[in-house]
């Protein structure tokens, strides 16, 4: 905020690039509060386009927000003449939701956006520092400066809203501490990773935790596990702030490349992703695409976005977890494939899972896997006590005619033989009569070389097992066959994934 206010005091126009829920509106209100008491300054916030999509309608709407009711005909020159009187020497207009001006991109509203922003540019040239502007939006700012040719927007000083980090999330959670029920590090890490630091998602999680009798990580899993089902419109609006399918889809193609090459992304692959496809006519370069993805809380970038390779990786969050369930008809195999899909994403997020002492707690990873499965349609995914053995990490209900029961998922972080050798026994101890399958998930930060052999020696020693084809982005997959006292088959899949700390 301080940097933006300083630019405005110098007479520099500003654009704030942010996705849905990134905090643009809150930031604009803070800027208004900072400027409105400045000597000689009037500040007005325009939260959305006018009802009448014409230049006259926009001027009339702006006049009404300034308390000017008798401006007829509504013209910008006359409006400024009415505002810049007496001690008032400057008008600052803060435009929120710039995307809405050009959502259609053509037709009446597209023509209005072009005319209106051209008028703002003309007025700006005539009145200089007496007329300052801030625009906030996502992909709409790109449309304004390219398709609609707004020189004012293209020349404006650019600010990208990045997601909140641990410090900001801890500060937002301070009311819990003041209320005598502080959130633990596990709570805060789980909230950070499920929300991706998106301000609106962090706030959403904290608000729902506040009303519970005792804030718990399991409660967070429930809150975010049903989010996509309850608020699918929000997810779509996040995507719409980044990419328009069939018209300008380059940012999503760039996101796919970042996911594939997480940590070190070749510039040529980014350029290829930005190349115009059939039906597209609006160009975008990799830097612009990465800015939009950063602002939407989907990608984190270190260093220059013009470097080769670009140091970028997807941000862990429910917005980046898989959206499409596996296609297998066998519910058990589909569950295993969906777990693999979630783990593949965890590997790409990699760097988000490392703290000062190494990988984060197992409980955090279990939460992400549980929420990922819920988002993929496994609604009855939970964690609860199993007999006297303690808590299984995750229990997933299997529902299909002729197949009633559940699968168990145990999550471990690779440390040493003493810590990890008993993972199969833990799953065996948790089994009940209705248990149909087991899945052992091993996460570690060690190099892939030699790890499969070490896993076999440590965790599968003395057991018969089948080495199955390794799923994409994983280190290995094994299946351990056993037989229960009634002669029925008990099967456990072992999945191993590397979570490298990319530098």
């Amino acid at each position: 905020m301080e940097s933006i206010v300083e630019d405005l005091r110098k007479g520099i126009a500003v654009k704030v690039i942010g996705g849905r829920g990134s905090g643009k509106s809150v930031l604009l209100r803070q800027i208004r509060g900072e400027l409105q008491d400045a000597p000689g300054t009037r500040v007005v916030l325009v939260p959305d386009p006018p009802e009448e999509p014409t230049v006259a309608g926009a001027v009339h709407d702006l006049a009404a927000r300034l308390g000017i009711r008798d401006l007829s005909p509504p013209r910008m020159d006359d409006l400024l003449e009415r505002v810049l009187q007496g001690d008032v020497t400057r008008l600052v207009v803060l435009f929120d939701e710039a995307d809405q001006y050009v959502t259609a991109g053509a037709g009446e509203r597209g023509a209005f956006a072009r005319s209106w922003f051209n008028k703002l540019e003309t007025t700006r040239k005539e009145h200089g520092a007496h007329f300052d502007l801030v625009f906030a939006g996502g992909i709409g700012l790109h449309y304004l400066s390219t398709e609609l040719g707004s020189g004012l927007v293209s020349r404006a000083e650019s600010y990208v809203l990045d997601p909140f980090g641990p410090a900001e999330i801890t500060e937002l959670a301070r009311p819990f501490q003041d209320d005598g029920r502080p959130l633990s590090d596990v709570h805060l890490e789980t909230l950070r990773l499920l929300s991706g630091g998106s301000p609106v998602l962090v706030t959403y999680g904290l608000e729902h935790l506040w009303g519970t009798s005792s804030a718990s990580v399991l409660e967070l899993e429930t809150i975010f596990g049903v989010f996509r089902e309850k608020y699918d419109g929000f997810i779509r609006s996040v995507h719409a702030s980044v990419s328009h399918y069939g018209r300008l889809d380059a940012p999503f193609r760039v996101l796919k490349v970042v996911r594939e090459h997480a940590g070190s992304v070749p510039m040529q692959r980014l350029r290829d992703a930005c190349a115009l496809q059939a039906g597209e006519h609006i160009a975008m370069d990799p830097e612009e695409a990465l800015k939009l993805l950063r602002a939407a809380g989907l990608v984190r970038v270190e260093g220059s976005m013009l470097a080769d390779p670009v140091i970028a990786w997807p941000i862990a969050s429910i917005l980046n977890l898989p959206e499409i369930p596996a296609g297998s008809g066998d519910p058990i195999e589909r569950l295993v494939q969906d777990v693999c899909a979630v783990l593949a994403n965890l590997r790409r997020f990699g760097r988000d899972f490392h703290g000062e002492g190494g990988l984060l707690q197992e409980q955090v990873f279990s939460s992400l896997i549980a929420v990922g499965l819920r988002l993929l349609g496994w609604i009855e995914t939970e964690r609860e006590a199993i007999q006297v053995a303690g808590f299984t990490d995750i229990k997933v209900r299997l529902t299909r005619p002729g197949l009633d029961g559940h699968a168990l998922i145990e999550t471990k972080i690779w440390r040493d033989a003493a810590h990890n050798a008993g993972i199969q026994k833990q799953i065996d101890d948790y089994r009940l009569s209705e248990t149909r399958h087991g899945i052992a998930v091993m996460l570690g930060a060690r190099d892939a070389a030699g790890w499969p052999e070490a896993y076999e020696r440590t965790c599968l020693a003395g057991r018969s097992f089948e080495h199955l084809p390794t799923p994409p982005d994983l280190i290995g997959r094994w299946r351990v066959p056993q037989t229960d006292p009634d002669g029925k088959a008990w099967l456990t899949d072992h999945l191993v994934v590397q979570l490298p700390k990319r530098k």
Side-chain angles (χ1 to χ4, degrees), residues 5 119 124 182 265 267 278 386 404 472:
V5 169
K119 168 55 72 174
R124 168 83 169 170
V265 189
M267 177 57 72
I386 298 291
D404 187 26

Side-chain angles (χ1 to χ4, degrees), residues 3 16 31 86 94 209 238 244 291 313-314 424 436 441 484-485:
S3 298
V16 178
I31 293 170
L94 313 174
L209 279 183
V238 171
H244 289 173
K291 277 184 181 179
W313 62 96
Q424 179 68 53
R436 300 290 176 257
V441 173
D484 68 13

Side-chain angles (χ1 to χ4, degrees), residues 99-404:
D99 293 16
Q100 292 186 18
Y101 286 85
V102 290
T103 298
E108 182 181 86
R109 185 160 291 275
F112 154 62
R114 178 181 287 105
S115 300
W116 177 222
F117 281 85
N118 285 343
K119 168 55 72 174
L120 291 173
E121 183 171 13
T122 300
T123 306
R124 168 83 169 170
K125 289 178 180 177
E126 292 176 354
H127 294 271
H130 298 292
F131 184 49
D132 288 335
L133 298 163
V134 176
F135 308 100
I139 199 170
L141 294 174
H142 182 73
Y143 275 115
L144 284 168
S145 61
T146 54
E147 185 179 25
L148 302 185
S150 172
L152 176 60
V153 174
S154 63
R155 290 191 301 270
E157 186 71 19
S158 177
Y159 288 87
V160 179
L161 295 184
D162 285 309
F164 286 164
E168 291 88 355
I169 294 174
T170 299
E171 184 62 28
L172 274 180
R174 188 174 296 278
F176 287 85
Q177 181 174 336
D178 296 341
D179 195 51
R181 44 185 183 139
L183 298 181
S184 69
D185 290 343
V186 173
H187 283 101
L188 294 173
E189 287 289 359
T190 303
L191 176 60
R192 178 179 69 86
L193 293 170
L194 291 175
S195 69
S198 164
V200 70
L201 292 180
V202 173
T203 304
Y204 173 85
L206 290 173
E207 286 176 343
H208 281 70
L209 279 183
W210 185 261
T212 61
S213 57
S214 60
S216 70
V217 172
L218 298 181
E219 189 69 26
L220 277 173
E221 294 172 16
T222 302
I223 291 168
F224 285 104
V226 299
F227 185 89
R228 188 178 287 162
E229 182 179 1
K230 293 176 65 176
Y231 301 104
D232 184 57
F234 173 82
I235 304 293
R236 287 198 300 270
S237 66
V238 171
H239 294 169
S241 71
V242 171
S243 195
H244 289 173
Y245 180 72
R247 289 179 52 79
L248 179 56
D249 207 29
F252 270 164
R253 296 196 295 269
V254 167
L255 177 59
K256 183 179 179 181
V257 171
V258 172
R259 286 170 172 169
E260 291 172 353
H261 298 270
S264 180
V265 189
M267 177 57 72
Q268 189 57 51
R269 288 297 312 277
L270 296 174
R271 293 194 186 102
D272 293 343
C274 288
L276 290 177
Q277 304 292 309
E280 295 180 348
H281 63 278
I282 305 171
M284 175 175 283
D285 62 37
E287 183 182 15
E288 292 168 321
L290 288 170
K291 277 184 181 179
L292 286 174
L293 293 170
R294 277 179 54 195
L298 295 170
V299 165
R300 183 172 288 113
V301 181
E302 276 192 3
S304 172
M305 288 182 284
L306 301 176
D308 189 7
V310 178
I311 308 304
W313 62 96
I315 295 173
S317 78
I318 61 171
L319 300 176
N320 257 330
L321 285 170
E323 300 177 11
I324 302 174
S328 172
D330 176 7
I332 289 178
E333 181 60 23
R334 184 194 140 198
L335 174 62
V336 175
Q337 291 178 17
D338 283 345
V339 172
C340 289
V342 175
L343 294 178
N345 278 271
L346 297 194
R347 183 183 185 281
R348 292 164 192 149
F349 302 151
R351 188 164 178 170
D352 287 335
F353 299 136
H354 291 262
E356 293 182 1
L359 289 176
L360 303 177
Q361 298 92 334
E362 291 172 356
Q363 191 175 0
V364 177
F365 292 104
S366 297
S367 295
L368 274 128
I369 295 170
V371 170
L373 291 176
R374 280 177 174 264
L375 295 176
L376 286 172
W378 300 95
I379 302 302
E380 294 187 70
T381 297
E382 57 191 23
R383 291 198 281 155
E384 62 180 35
I386 298 291
Q387 301 184 116
V388 295
F391 283 84
T392 182
D393 280 344
I394 305 168
K395 184 174 80 171
V396 183
R397 174 65 58 182
L398 301 168
T399 55
R400 179 183 172 180
L403 179 64
D404 187 26

Side-chain angles (χ1 to χ4, degrees), residues 484-498:
D484 68 13
D486 297 327
K488 294 180 180 179
W490 269 0
L491 300 176
T492 302
D493 275 274
H494 288 249
L495 306 172
V496 177
V497 63
Q498 178 194 23

Side-chain angles (χ1 to χ4, degrees), residues 48-70:
D48 46 37
E51 292 184 5
E52 178 189 340
T54 64
V55 172
V59 176
H60 178 78
D61 177 74
L62 187 56
R65 297 182 188 281
L66 288 163
I68 301 173
R69 304 292 177 184
D70 57 346

